[in-house]
Amino acid sequence: MRVLLSNLAIVALLATPAAALAAQTATGTVKSFSAHDMSLTLSDGTTYILPKGFKDPGLKAGEKVSVSWDMVGKKHEAHAVKILQ
């Protein structure tokens, strides 16, 4: 029984960081988009840094979008931005 509980504790400990590193998703309305600065700001004030090579799908103020992102340091780094209908 102890061996089983020990193994379960180890598995739980190892799985925790992986869950913490999973990308998050936010949905909102575009307040501003800057291809020059590679940034996207939503109406809630959150600014996302866009990845190198980001292909602009036609972002403009007022568009409703879904952003897949991770927190890196104190910055929100976007992986993908999708315009919602």
Side-chain angles (χ1 to χ4, degrees):
M1 185 69 165
R2 279 189 211 165
V3 173
L4 178 61
L5 290 176
S6 301
N7 289 340
L8 288 175
I10 291 170
V11 169
L13 181 64
L14 293 175
T16 301
L21 295 176
Q24 300 181 46
T25 303
T27 303
T29 304
V30 175
K31 180 177 178 182
S32 65
F33 165 68
S34 173
H36 180 265
D37 295 333
M38 295 301 288
S39 66
L40 170 70
T41 303
L42 298 184
S43 59
D44 68 359
T46 306
T47 299
Y48 299 91
I49 304 303
L50 301 169
K52 289 183 181 181
F54 176 76
K55 304 279 191 230
D56 177 12
L59 295 173
K60 57 187 174 212
E63 292 270 22
K64 185 160 177 131
V65 295
S66 175
V67 181
S68 175
W69 61 277
D70 281 323
M71 195 70 164
V72 178
K74 294 183 179 182
K75 296 183 180 185
H76 296 85
E77 288 195 5
H79 297 287
V81 178
K82 180 180 175 186
I83 296 175
L84 302 175
Q85 301 296 334

Tab-separated table of all heavy atoms in Angstrom, residues 36 50 67:
chain	number	residue	atom	x	y	z
A	36	HIS	N	3.874	46.629	-36.186
A	36	HIS	CA	5.220	47.145	-35.961
A	36	HIS	C	5.761	46.681	-34.610
A	36	HIS	O	6.897	46.220	-34.505
A	36	HIS	CB	5.219	48.672	-36.027
A	36	HIS	CG	6.575	49.266	-35.813
A	36	HIS	ND1	7.004	49.692	-34.580
A	36	HIS	CD2	7.601	49.477	-36.661
A	36	HIS	CE1	8.237	50.147	-34.684
A	36	HIS	NE2	8.626	50.036	-35.942
A	50	LEU	N	3.011	39.202	-29.748
A	50	LEU	CA	2.794	38.224	-30.816
A	50	LEU	C	4.115	37.583	-31.217
A	50	LEU	O	5.170	38.217	-31.149
A	50	LEU	CB	2.131	38.909	-32.006
A	50	LEU	CG	0.781	39.559	-31.671
A	50	LEU	CD1	0.316	40.439	-32.813
A	50	LEU	CD2	-0.248	38.501	-31.352
A	67	VAL	N	-7.460	34.304	-28.157
A	67	VAL	CA	-5.997	34.330	-28.094
A	67	VAL	C	-5.521	33.168	-27.229
A	67	VAL	O	-5.950	33.017	-26.089
A	67	VAL	CB	-5.486	35.658	-27.480
A	67	VAL	CG1	-3.967	35.680	-27.450
A	67	VAL	CG2	-6.033	36.856	-28.236
